[in-house]
Amino acid sequence: MPGREYRGRKNFLRRLTRDIWRPGFAMLTAEAPDLVGYVFGFPVPRDGSWWSGFRGTLPKDVEQLTASGQAFAISGMVVRPSERHQGLADRLQERLLADHRALLGATLVDRTHRAACAGFESRGWLTIGLVYRPPGPAVLRALVLPHGEPTAAEPSW
């Protein structure tokens, strides 16, 4: 489809520009020797605003880890196709979460983007529900990744 690449780039730049200004924003890159991948994100705000539009009841463990400042949002990740089966995406997300001492990774993915949803789930992310975000009919799949030290009780999601 003509212009698709341009719109994708434009949307990426708009999202990156917005996220850079969030408190705690961080980005990791992987080079070999050229750029082969990157991941970026920010701490999920403790007030729970990041989960705005969540349908249903947010799992108690997710709510608690958010309120305690131990949830980190992965808002963008790209890995060059030649590196996708080398575990680079796993290593990038692991390092970003570890660097921020997050016990929970969180991300929102357009539910119609089946490849992205499947990619996250194949790396251990769990779907916990849907988030509806205006404007428009944006419906996002909410995914979480338990990380770090296990808690006394098993996660409830």
Side-chain angles (χ1 to χ4, degrees), residues 28-67:
L28 290 175
T29 61
E31 300 174 15
D34 297 325
L35 182 66
V36 293
Y38 60 84
V39 63
F40 59 90
F42 50 89
V44 173
R46 290 176 182 233
D47 65 4
S49 60
W50 196 75
W51 300 106
S52 176
F54 188 87
R55 293 296 190 242
T57 303
L58 191 64
K60 199 57 128 171
D61 295 350
V62 172
E63 188 176 358
Q64 290 171 344
L65 290 169
T66 297

